[in-house]
Amino acid sequence: MAKRLKRLAHPGSVVRMSTRCSWVANVMFLGCWTWKASFVGAAVPADVDTFLGEHCADCHGGGAAEGGFRLETLGDDLRDPADHAAWVRLFDQVAEGKMPPEEAIGPDPADRRRMIGSLGDALRRAHTATKGTVLRRLNRREYENTLNDLFGTHVDLASRLPEDGRAGGFDNVGEALEVSDVQIERYLQSIDAVLDDAIADRTEPIESTTRSASYADTRGADKFIGNQWHLLDDGAVVFYRRIGYPSGMLREANILDRGRHRIRVTGYAHQSDEPITFSVGATTFARGVEKPTFGYFSMPPKDEQGEPTTIELEAWIEDRYMIEVTPWGISDDDYEIKKNGVENYSGPGLAILSVEVEGPIVDEFPSRGHRLLFDGLDRSEVEPKNPAEKRRSSYRPRFEIRSDDPSEAVRPVLARVATRAFRRPVSGAEVDRYVGLFREEMDLGATIEAALRTSVSAIFCSPEFLFLLEPPGRLDDHALATRLAYLLTRTTPDEPLSEAAREGRLVGNPDEIGRHVKRLLADPRSERFINDFADAWLDLREIEFTSPDQKLYPEFEAYLQDSMLRETRAFLRELVNENLGVTNLVDPDFAMLNGRLAEHYGIHGVTGPKVRRVELSEDSVRGGILSHASVLKVSANGTNTSPVVRGVWVSERVLGFHPSPPPPGVSGVEPDTRGTTTLREQLHRHRDSDDCRGCHAVIDPPGFALESFDPIGGWRDRYRSLGVGDPVSLRINARKVRYKLGLPVDASGVTAGGDPFDGFAAFRDVLTSDPERLARNFVTKIAVFATGREMGFSDRAEIDRIVRESGESGESGESGYGVRDLIRSVVQSDLFQSK
């Protein structure tokens, strides 16, 4: 890639420079089209102005600004996003009877209805005219999935690209996805990296090898054995605590060639009747790179015949990484090892006999990307001038494409590649463009393969690939297939979906669409949908944004955080698979737990690292997303909790209410870290003003209800403090805790609708008493994620229809609103099938 960029900047490379600039111009043109379309004027109806003048001006006009609202601040262009949003808020206030207030002399009901009808029609027309104008590009995760799936590669592309913008928490909304010069350069670098990985540079795949290593034989073992490590007679090395230094890195289990590897860990739980949990990951001496954990596993004691257990897994591992094994949940609580020696320690330990690595495992050779590029071409190895070169270990074959008419030879290849890249059939004229670029590269002295790579790179840097180019109105079959694929598998359409699009079986055929929804939700790649949707909707991507204070929360560690994420994702998967009613989002009779989470939640009878469905007692506060440690962590700052922050989170993510930002000059409320006053007391003083009272009446109650959960999702009756409070007699990870128990928690409140609750369980009952609201919010979030645009005023009627019909005729039982039903209904709706 670097060489090609140098050629691009060379004065003689006019063709490449002009081609690249042409592509940039195309992107800029598309962006300008979007910008211009969103600023066409649409005036507020005259009868609406008359109504406001007669019934609202006394309190909100002529300089008056009760509640912080002034009529003079309203713009008159309903297609301007800010003006439109302000008028929608005004519409809702009048339609819900909140304005004019009850104590005022209100308008005649007929006048109110006429005003609502007139303003509503204008808002719908304005939103309808603008919602189809925004282009949506692939976000960086979709981009990575698509290229790797098309070419059969495993290249980290997302980290190469700038972070995507977000709207409403979603990073696939067109309005937030910009294109910069930096991004364009990164696209060029990324496709080069994919082509390098996909194109075979040898005639046979790298031979898979199997190597076995033991901690007893590793470098430095003599230093650690008898100190931190215990060597048993059978050759096993025992770890008696979670390893800090020395780590569980095994240098002899290193990866020579990147690829998919099979890892086998043989051992047993030593001096324990219960299995011991451990993780398997990869580590490297390189700095600033990911050190992945492949999974957590359970190692039992030796069986009745005295045999150890072998745990097997597969993982993609880059070269120059080493396998690392780490035990969890065991510790030397009283420093017995230090006092009495490791050979005299009687506590439980993880005994490892061997670690075996097999790989790289190659399922297909050459890759599907190689075949995509070269099927139909005569690409063969060039024999070296000196045959002895082949016998050298460093020898790499050189390949050459031979053809009497290269341009015609690559034409079907470019047509095939463009069809897959553009997710639709391509015309001859479109292929001609890339054949022309191929000829120009050949004229400049490029080989056939190099010129072909340039044309393929141009295809994957085209707006036709990078953007979902959907014209306003009803989608055609190929656009519909693309939307469905990027929703449920987060990648380009597979062959069954593409075939349905080619045969015209999707548009106007809800049963066919429903079959593909069911099929794709059962596809292993739908885990991407579960993960990406949960990351966006519930903000789980911020799980590592804060690091809990280890003095206040010493029980927090990486295994717990991993379990947090897996709970929420497994929970959403269970709701989808079983088509459970939407009230289960808040109050199910089960939870998805492993032993670590069950311990954290105080639930007995669950052991091991595997997440599975666990039935809950009727009085349990766990199960629903509001009690998930992942959600509770991302809605806290690592040290303390804020009812305002959590209240906003619940309002926006669960209830569908988006509070306005605080007025200018109004400062936020920070918790008292000394533990001498409660945030509830501070908030009571803070919201004692007209500017703050309205929103806080909605957002504070959910936040108060969640105060019984600490920043890592544990239940609490009293706040933890490093200042005043009662000392705690407890040891965690072999250390005495330093926190104290401070003021008691008050999780009571009254909702904006007037429903009182005395704690989290009662608040949860309030939420589940209105399943329609929960369903409407879920439908809205799915619709945003599915269409790549935020829902607006003109979408309300269709969302209401989906919710109403799902509640009446759903398959989830008496309550209706089955989660899978709601997803399918969104896909079958005009929201999804139109732009």
Side-chain angles (χ1 to χ4, degrees):
M1 181 62 195
K3 292 180 179 179
R4 182 148 60 86
L5 287 176
K6 288 179 180 178
R7 289 208 316 272
L8 189 62
H10 192 276
S13 186
V14 178
V15 174
R16 282 307 312 273
M17 180 65 78
S18 63
T19 301
R20 183 163 174 264
C21 291
S22 173
W23 178 72
V24 174
N26 283 340
V27 174
M28 295 302 294
F29 167 75
L30 292 169
C32 291
W33 169 48
T34 304
W35 182 84
K36 289 179 180 178
S38 65
F39 283 88
V40 179
V44 176
D47 58 338
V48 173
D49 283 334
T50 301
F51 179 93
L52 296 179
E54 293 176 353
H55 302 288
C56 306
D58 287 347
C59 296
H60 303 287
E66 287 199 17
F69 174 66
R70 295 174 55 212
L71 289 173
E72 289 86 348
T73 63
L74 288 172
D76 58 0
D77 185 353
L78 293 183
R79 294 189 188 177
D80 177 86
D83 290 351
H84 189 276
W87 281 102
V88 168
R89 288 194 294 271
L90 186 148
F91 174 91
D92 290 339
Q93 292 287 310
V94 177
E96 296 170 9
K98 296 179 180 178
M99 287 292 160
E102 293 182 0
E103 61 271 17
I105 300 176
D108 181 89
D111 290 342
R112 184 190 292 270
R113 287 194 298 272
R114 279 192 292 271
M115 182 271 188
I116 293 172
S118 180
L119 180 56
D121 288 343
L123 289 170
R124 274 187 291 275
R125 288 194 302 271
H127 184 252
T128 300
T130 59
K131 68 182 181 181
T133 63
V134 177
L135 291 174
R136 171 188 161 197
R137 68 162 171 82
L138 302 181
N139 69 14
R140 56 182 184 168
R141 187 62 62 194
E142 294 165 333
Y143 176 87
E144 176 180 279
N145 292 340
T146 302
L147 284 178
N148 281 330
D149 289 349
L150 284 175
F151 285 90
T153 53
H154 197 285
V155 183
D156 177 11
L157 300 176
S159 64
R160 298 169 183 257
L161 300 173
E163 186 172 351
D164 295 310
R166 301 177 193 173
F170 292 91
D171 62 358
N172 67 334
V173 173
E175 286 182 319
L177 297 174
E178 300 177 347
V179 177
S180 65
D181 289 342
V182 171
Q183 195 144 7
I184 293 167
E185 296 294 335
R186 300 288 174 81
Y187 283 141
L188 287 167
Q189 295 168 12
S190 296
I191 184 58
D192 263 2
V194 169
L195 293 178
D196 287 342
D197 201 55
I199 296 174
D201 62 354
R202 60 185 71 231
T203 56
E204 299 290 339
I206 297 174
E207 184 177 352
S208 178
T209 60
T210 301
R211 293 178 295 128
S212 183
S214 168
Y215 283 100
D217 300 325
T218 192
R219 191 187 322 170
D222 55 344
K223 177 181 178 181
F224 304 128
I225 290 175
N227 185 0
Q228 289 95 338
W229 297 355
H230 186 193
L231 179 63
L232 302 180
D233 292 340
D234 61 2
V237 167
V238 185
F239 305 131
Y240 286 116
R241 60 184 176 84
R242 180 186 162 194
I243 300 167
Y245 178 81
S247 74
M249 176 184 70
L250 189 54
R251 296 190 184 193
E252 285 70 19
N254 61 323
I255 306 304
L256 303 179
D257 296 291
R258 65 188 295 268
R260 188 163 58 88
H261 288 73
R262 186 172 294 114
I263 305 166
R264 302 181 187 92
V265 180
T266 300
Y268 51 91
H270 178 61
Q271 297 180 167
S272 173
D273 295 330
E274 300 295 330
I276 290 177
T277 297
F278 68 100
S279 64
V280 178
T283 188
T284 176
F285 291 117
R287 296 187 177 185
V289 297
E290 182 185 9
K291 298 179 180 179
T293 297
F294 303 132
Y296 292 83
F297 306 91
S298 185
M299 184 68 79
K302 287 183 177 180
D303 62 19
E304 294 179 356
Q305 287 72 41
E307 294 298 320
T309 297
T310 297
I311 304 296
E312 185 174 296
L313 65 144
E314 289 188 4
W316 181 276
I317 314 177
E318 297 293 327
D319 56 2
R320 296 194 298 171
Y321 274 77
M322 295 157 283
I323 302 301
E324 182 172 51
V325 176
T326 304
W328 295 89
I330 56 176
S331 62
D332 174 12
D333 288 341
D334 295 317
Y335 298 98
E336 289 184 19
I337 293 176
K338 185 176 181 180
K339 291 184 290 187
N340 304 319
V342 69
E343 68 279 0
N344 298 314
Y345 182 64
S346 60
L350 176 67
I352 302 296
L353 281 160
S354 66
V355 175
E356 191 174 88
V357 183
E358 177 187 353
I361 301 168
V362 179
D363 293 324
E364 57 178 6
F365 183 85
S367 70
R368 74 186 73 133
H370 183 100
R371 298 195 303 271
L372 179 67
L373 295 177
F374 300 124
D375 276 2
L377 296 178
D378 179 12
R379 183 179 189 262
S380 55
E381 181 181 356
V382 178
E383 289 295 324
K385 293 181 180 180
N386 181 3
E389 288 186 27
K390 279 192 170 184
R391 294 192 292 271
R392 296 175 183 172
S393 59
S394 60
Y395 173 75
R396 286 291 182 272
R398 187 168 61 88
F399 294 88
E400 181 180 67
I401 298 175
R402 298 181 176 90
S403 174
D404 294 333
D405 190 347
S407 296
E408 288 307 306
V410 302
R411 181 180 295 276
V413 173
L414 293 174
R416 181 171 65 223
V417 172
T419 298
R420 297 299 306 277
F422 298 167
R423 303 169 284 270
R424 58 168 176 78
V426 294
S427 67
E430 288 177 299
V431 178
D432 287 343
R433 176 185 177 188
Y434 298 104
V435 173
L437 176 58
F438 172 85
R439 289 196 193 99
E440 291 166 349
E441 287 289 287
M442 291 283 292
D443 290 343
L444 291 172
T447 65
I448 297 177
E449 183 166 329
L452 177 61
R453 281 185 58 135
T454 297
S455 293
V456 169
S457 295
I459 289 173
F460 285 99
C461 289
S462 164
E464 297 282 348
F465 170 72
L466 295 173
F467 288 80
L468 304 185
L469 299 181
E470 305 163 336
R474 298 289 295 183
L475 301 183
D476 62 23
D477 283 87
H478 291 287
L480 193 54
T482 296
R483 269 200 182 184
L484 185 56
Y486 279 103
L487 168 63
L488 297 181
T489 59
R490 315 294 295 130
T491 189
T492 193
D494 61 5
E495 182 52 32
L497 195 53
S498 296
E499 181 182 23
R502 289 193 299 268
E503 296 176 359
R505 290 189 277 115
L506 296 178
V507 173
N509 191 344
D511 290 339
E512 177 74 5
I513 292 174
R515 283 191 290 272
H516 283 286
V517 170
K518 182 178 181 179
R519 180 181 66 83
L520 293 176
L521 282 174
D523 189 304
R525 293 175 301 170
S526 67
E527 287 306 309
R528 298 170 178 172
F529 159 65
I530 296 293
N531 294 349
D532 289 357
F533 179 61
D535 283 356
W537 172 34
L538 304 179
D539 210 23
L540 299 189
R541 63 165 67 91
E542 301 296 340
I543 192 73
E544 295 184 352
F545 186 73
T546 61
S547 297
D549 189 322
Q550 285 296 298
K551 295 178 183 178
L552 285 170
Y553 303 101
E555 64 266 50
F556 181 80
E557 25 78 350
Y559 179 29
L560 177 59
Q561 178 167 291
D562 179 85
S563 301
M564 291 176 178
L565 288 174
R566 290 197 289 143
E567 174 192 20
T568 304
R569 290 166 175 169
F571 178 70
L572 289 179
R573 170 57 75 182
E574 185 76 1
L575 296 184
V576 171
N577 287 352
E578 300 301 320
N579 196 28
L580 299 178
V582 75
T583 55
N584 285 277
L585 280 169
V586 176
D587 189 16
D589 58 5
F590 70 94
M592 304 300 293
L593 303 176
N594 63 6
R596 182 65 187 91
L597 272 179
E599 176 190 9
H600 187 54
Y601 293 164
I603 296 174
H604 302 291
V606 183
T607 59
K610 183 179 179 180
V611 173
R612 66 271 199 189
R613 180 168 174 153
V614 176
E615 302 304 315
L616 298 174
S617 60
E618 290 187 4
D619 61 349
S620 176
V621 297
R622 298 296 177 175
I625 58 173
L626 295 184
S627 68
H628 285 195
S630 61
V631 165
L632 295 162
K633 183 177 186 299
V634 300
S635 60
N637 68 7
T639 300
N640 46 50
T641 60
S642 166
V644 175
V645 173
R646 281 184 170 170
V648 170
W649 191 98
V650 174
S651 297
E652 293 182 342
R653 313 284 172 152
V654 179
L655 301 178
F657 170 73
H658 294 266
S660 302
V666 176
S667 60
V669 179
E670 295 296 330
D672 179 3
T673 56
R674 299 166 300 173
T676 57
T677 61
T678 67
L679 195 55
R680 179 186 289 265
E681 294 170 343
Q682 297 176 62
L683 281 171
H684 181 72
R685 295 191 295 268
H686 169 78
R687 65 181 183 178
D688 190 23
S689 70
D690 291 339
D691 289 344
C692 303
R693 188 179 301 112
C695 280
H696 278 281
V698 178
I699 63 178
D700 288 356
F704 288 142
L706 296 184
E707 278 294 273
S708 290
F709 299 102
D710 64 30
I712 61 171
W715 183 265
R716 64 186 177 190
D717 296 309
R718 297 170 68 182
Y719 294 99
R720 293 183 183 182
S721 169
L722 295 177
V724 298
D726 298 328
V728 178
S729 179
L730 182 67
R731 298 179 71 88
I732 295 178
N733 295 330
R735 295 181 180 179
K736 188 179 185 303
V737 301
R738 299 176 62 180
Y739 64 80
K740 300 176 182 178
L741 293 182
L743 295 170
V745 172
D746 180 1
S748 64
V750 180
T751 68
D755 297 305
F757 57 89
D758 60 4
F760 173 72
F763 174 74
R764 189 177 59 183
D765 292 340
V766 173
L767 294 185
T768 56
S769 68
D770 190 1
E772 183 178 317
R773 182 170 190 174
L774 296 175
R776 180 174 290 103
N777 177 71
F778 184 78
V779 166
T780 302
K781 300 301 183 184
I782 284 288
V784 173
F785 189 67
T787 62
R789 68 172 179 83
E790 293 190 273
M791 296 295 101
F793 194 86
S794 68
D795 302 311
R796 291 182 173 186
E798 183 70 349
I799 290 173
D800 289 342
R801 181 195 65 77
I802 293 171
V803 172
R804 182 178 63 255
E805 293 182 0
S806 295
E808 293 171 352
S809 59
E811 301 172 0
S812 64
E814 294 181 1
S815 64
Y817 306 116
V819 168
R820 192 174 65 242
D821 290 340
L822 293 174
I823 295 172
R824 187 187 65 245
S825 295
V826 168
V827 172
Q828 292 174 332
S829 71
D830 285 342
L831 288 177
F832 186 82
Q833 299 190 25
S834 300
K835 182 171 175 63

